[in-house]
Amino acid sequence: MLARNPHLTLLSLLLLIPSSVLVQGILCVKYKVTNNAGNTPGGERFNTEIGIPFTLKTAEKINAFIWKLFKQDTAAKRRKLPVLNINITILTDGAWGETGFDTVYIDTGAIQYNFPAGREAGRYEFTSLLYHEMTHIFQWHGNGTAPGGLSEGVAEYVKIKSKYYHPEGYTKPGEGSKWDEGYGVTARFLEYCDSLRPDFTPDFNNKMRYVYKEEYFQDFLGKTVDQIWNEYKAKYAN
């Protein structure tokens, strides 16, 4: 199905300046947003309340945030991605968003039926979802060896750090039945690991560039992940 609006692209020059030191080099990323379901209610709402210009600007901001949080201040530390595509489309599996290699897919059904009413509220929810999905694009997955729950937890961790989430009703520290349960459960566990060692999560992510190994927990924290999980659960038992 053709999009109602033509493709718009943005060439972004992203400068990261951590600790007031200018990073050497500039990485160019090209963003492309396409609404493939412009004649659906959700697609129409995207056009009228969110829009391609807002999405391009937001994607640039999120990209820079992820690189800074993950301490990826040079091109050599980052995933090489010439183009990031964001497709507004119809997903049939009930997901609000999905990713595939260089593309983020956002479901028009979620925009129409799950996003809160109103332009600003809808944009907030869209931005929150984009933080999660774009993290999947730029995080390291150990070439597919990392547990899926860990990958989802890292994406939620980034969303929490961005402040684009709803604290009320969100997973509380100590909840969950296993550390790699995913989403909020794993994100809260990663926050706990950060409390044991500053920057644990960004460093753990970067460690997974080529492969994931459970012993990385031992390397960073001096304990097995099961020991850490049990201590975490005990801390919030009451």
Side-chain angles (χ1 to χ4, degrees), residues 63-139:
N63 194 168
F65 180 88
I66 293 170
W67 281 338
K68 183 175 182 180
L69 181 62
F70 285 168
K71 302 195 297 185
Q72 296 173 347
D73 53 2
T74 65
K77 297 178 181 179
R78 304 167 182 160
R79 178 188 170 193
K80 184 178 181 180
L81 189 75
V83 179
L84 172 63
N85 298 286
I86 301 174
N87 287 354
I88 311 305
T89 188
I90 299 172
L91 298 177
T92 59
D93 57 4
W96 289 25
E98 295 177 344
T99 58
F101 186 63
D102 62 355
T103 303
V104 171
Y105 303 93
I106 303 296
D107 180 47
T108 55
I111 295 173
Q112 177 64 17
Y113 300 111
N114 300 111
F115 285 17
R119 181 173 181 269
E120 293 307 314
R123 284 188 167 190
Y124 183 95
E125 202 68 37
F126 181 83
T127 301
S128 175
L129 179 58
L130 208 54
Y131 265 103
H132 179 102
E133 299 302 338
M134 282 184 59
T135 299
H136 285 319
I137 296 291
F138 292 103
Q139 71 185 133

Side-chain angles (χ1 to χ4, degrees), residues 1 16 20 26 94 107 159 182 236:
M1 186 178 299
L16 301 180
S20 72
I26 300 174
D107 180 47
K159 189 172 76 173
Y236 293 101

Side-chain angles (χ1 to χ4, degrees), residues 172-205:
K172 300 296 187 294
E175 291 185 348
S177 59
K178 57 180 183 177
W179 75 268
D180 59 350
E181 189 171 328
Y183 297 97
V185 170
T186 301
R188 292 305 193 191
F189 176 64
L190 292 173
E191 287 184 316
Y192 172 73
C193 292
D194 280 355
S195 74
L196 303 177
R197 179 189 182 278
D199 289 335
F200 167 86
T201 303
D203 291 340
F204 197 95
N205 173 75

